[in-house]
Amino acid sequence: MGYGHAIGSRQYRFDDLRTLLARATPLRSGDQLAGVAAADAQERVAAQLALAELPLTAFLNEVVVPYEADEITRLIVDSHDAAAFAPVRHLTVGDFRDWLLGDAADSDTLAALAPGLTPEMVAAVSKICRLQDLVLVARKCRVVTRFRSTLGLPGRLATRLQPNHPTDAIDGIAASLLDGLLMGSGDAVIGINPATDDVAQVVRLLQMLDGVIRRWNIPTPSCVLTHVTNTLRAIERGAPVDLVFQSIGGTEGTQRGFGITLALLAEARAAALSLQRGALFDGRRGEHVMYFETGQGSALSAGAHHGCDQQTLEARAYAVARHFEPLLVNTVVGFIGPEYLYDGKQILRAGLEDHFCGKLLGVPMGCDVCYTNHAQADGDDMDALLLMLGAAGCNFVMGVPGSDDIMLNYQSTSFHDALVLRQLLGLRPAPEFEAWLQQMGVFEPGPGSRLAAALPAPFRALLEGLP
């Protein structure tokens, strides 16, 4: 079959859809490492022009990973909603971009369209978008989820409070947790990356978090980000599990590398739902009990990329997430390292692409605005991405003490960064959490995210009791 486009006297040919998508992808180091990137800027432009002329229906007739060999491809194909797709069925990829940028594509229209879009469609259109296009379209997409707090509402920005500790020391975790709460962080989830996968330790951490949430009546879930099989064992031991965490990928081989299948994720979701812990305070059940993390480059790292570019496979991971109706999906955009996203420029674009693709597919997207210490990136790059994601309506970002995760050894966003973003853009925490912050005296009464002038009385007593 093949696809082609001429630039001047030179004719470029691309053997299949997988190759066309890869060559059209803006430059990143992971695609160069995989040998699928365009040879130069001219070939990339030729591929983007050919892609813009491609009918959206082409993605229903050709897959990038074989149907017979990949359960994620089967999920994408078998769950496609033809009726939802009908309003844009006649468009090319380029026409689809123009339509998305127009006034007809409002929040309600995009929500209705989401089940009719495949990951490859949204990945394709993202490749011919400018950064401002990625921001504008994503801003129009609203994906609202709930577990004690309501996330994704217009004018709101939530945070994951991430009180990691290199030895899982309870006092160290508690200090970071209190620091975050006093800065208004934690409405998306209080989530700990454990230093060990020992199930007994996972249970202890879950019990500690549950005790804090119950003592202070905090309207937020907790999560220990361990492997899904450990969470199932913790549930069997009676642990207070709110959310099930798992890293996911865009091919079956990537998922095998993570030690998971779609069936295992379904089992874990059913187990978490059976606990009905979302109704802890107000009696309303929280049906969103999954927390997924992703990142461009995971399929290549697992040797399971099938010759595809990393951004297309990242979008396919969102099809997995969508199927399980999660509370949170987080692209840990700069965490895998410079082998996959070399510098701040590549990280910035990847973060906006991921958010755009996830939101178009109906996924509640957040972003860990982050980089590893050996990447060609710095805090200025992260400030730019954080601000653009805030303008794009990102559901949540990370809150890490001092922006330096001392357990995972990477740079993320701090409690202060979230406060700055809320103030700059007029954003507020999740409504239930905002009311709690005001009730506890952390925030001043009324709209806005202004910290109280004095240490709140309930926490003052707690701190005065410390040695």
Side-chain angles (χ1 to χ4, degrees):
M1 185 178 176
Y3 306 91
H5 202 282
I7 294 183
S9 61
R10 183 168 180 180
Q11 180 71 34
Y12 288 89
R13 297 293 300 173
F14 310 100
D15 292 339
D16 49 31
L17 184 57
R18 174 178 56 202
T19 303
L20 176 64
L21 288 167
R23 301 295 192 271
T25 305
L27 181 65
R28 59 209 55 190
S29 53
D31 292 337
Q32 292 177 308
L33 179 64
V36 302
D40 52 35
Q42 185 165 298
E43 183 184 24
R44 185 173 302 109
V45 169
Q48 290 171 341
L49 290 169
L51 188 61
E53 296 169 352
L54 189 69
L56 288 178
T57 51
F59 296 94
L60 303 179
N61 300 320
E62 184 179 354
V63 297
V64 298
V65 180
Y67 181 93
E68 299 78 9
D70 190 273
E71 67 173 358
I72 295 175
T73 299
R74 294 193 291 275
L75 173 67
I76 293 166
V77 172
D78 297 347
S79 64
H80 181 252
D81 188 331
F85 178 59
V88 298
R89 182 181 178 87
H90 62 290
L91 299 177
T92 64
V93 172
D95 293 335
F96 185 42
R97 171 187 173 273
D98 294 342
W99 180 84
L100 287 170
L101 293 171
D103 293 337
D106 58 20
S107 296
D108 291 340
T109 301
L110 291 173
L113 177 64
L117 298 177
T118 70
E120 292 84 357
M121 291 177 191
V122 300
V125 74
S126 75
K127 296 175 193 297
I128 61 169
C129 283
R130 296 174 59 182
L131 296 186
Q132 65 182 15
D133 301 340
L134 298 174
V135 171
L136 177 59
V137 174
R139 184 179 179 86
K140 295 193 285 186
C141 298
R142 289 293 166 194
V143 184
V144 178
T145 57
R146 187 179 187 281
F147 194 106
R148 301 183 192 142
S149 278
T150 306
L151 308 177
L153 294 170
R156 305 280 178 170
L157 173 71
T159 59
R160 169 191 162 190
L161 204 174
Q162 186 170 311
N164 294 342
H165 192 276
T167 64
D168 287 342
I170 295 298
D171 54 352
I173 291 171
S176 295
L177 200 163
L178 179 60
D179 187 19
L181 291 174
L182 289 172
M183 289 286 181
S185 184
D187 41 348
V189 63
I190 301 173
I192 299 172
N193 296 90
T196 173
D197 275 338
D198 177 71
V199 176
Q201 177 67 0
V202 168
V203 171
R204 283 192 290 271
L205 292 174
L206 286 167
Q207 290 171 338
M208 184 273 286
L209 291 177
D210 183 60
V212 171
I213 288 171
R214 286 179 179 272
R215 176 180 178 181
W216 301 103
N217 294 320
I218 308 173
T220 193
S222 68
C223 186
V224 173
L225 282 70
T226 187
H227 192 270
V228 63
T229 54
N230 291 331
T231 303
L232 281 168
R233 294 188 187 103
I235 291 174
E236 291 169 358
R237 296 186 185 189
V241 172
D242 289 340
L243 303 183
V244 174
F245 167 80
Q246 184 55 50
S247 296
I248 57 174
T251 68
E252 182 177 335
T254 309
Q255 304 259 75
R256 283 200 304 269
F258 289 140
I260 60 171
T261 62
L262 297 180
L264 179 60
L265 294 177
E267 178 187 351
R269 180 174 183 268
L273 284 172
S274 72
L275 302 180
Q276 299 187 27
R277 289 185 51 81
L280 185 60
F281 300 123
D282 60 11
R284 292 186 293 171
R285 291 183 63 186
E287 299 293 337
H288 304 108
V289 296
M290 304 299 283
Y291 175 14
F292 295 123
E293 288 192 344
T294 67
Q296 289 192 27
S298 59
L300 176 59
S301 180
H305 63 293
H306 293 269
C308 297
D309 69 272
Q310 63 188 35
Q311 190 255 335
T312 297
L313 295 184
E314 173 73 3
R316 282 169 55 97
Y318 306 150
V320 176
R322 177 172 64 178
H323 181 67
F324 294 102
E325 300 179 2
L327 179 75
L328 308 165
V329 177
N330 178 33
T331 169
V332 193
V333 64
F335 183 74
I336 300 182
E339 299 85 357
Y340 305 95
L341 295 169
Y342 179 71
D343 56 17
K345 181 181 178 67
Q346 292 186 12
I347 292 171
L348 188 148
R349 179 165 182 103
L352 295 176
E353 288 171 347
D354 293 351
H355 181 253
F356 167 98
C357 290
K359 283 289 187 65
L360 273 180
L361 290 169
V363 171
M365 288 300 297
C367 182
D368 190 345
V369 179
C370 64
Y371 63 101
T372 57
N373 291 313
H374 62 310
Q376 300 300 305
D378 58 25
D380 288 343
D381 298 314
M382 299 305 104
D383 284 352
L385 176 54
L386 180 65
L387 182 59
M388 295 184 79
L389 284 168
C394 188
N395 279 28
F396 69 101
V397 295
M398 302 298 108
V400 177
S403 77
D404 183 6
D405 191 306
I406 59 173
M407 196 280 283
L408 294 174
N409 196 31
Y410 79 118
Q411 307 304 309
S412 184
T413 47
S414 71
F415 307 135
H416 297 82
D417 291 333
L419 284 173
V420 168
L421 194 59
R422 285 170 173 167
Q423 292 174 16
L424 276 174
L425 300 178
L427 302 172
R428 297 159 63 184
E432 299 88 349
F433 193 77
E434 181 182 46
W436 180 83
L437 290 169
Q438 293 176 359
Q439 174 191 340
M440 296 296 291
V442 176
F443 278 6
E444 297 284 358
S449 301
R450 293 180 60 86
L451 289 174
L455 184 66
F459 296 106
R460 187 187 311 123
L462 178 67
L463 290 172
E464 287 173 351
L466 293 177

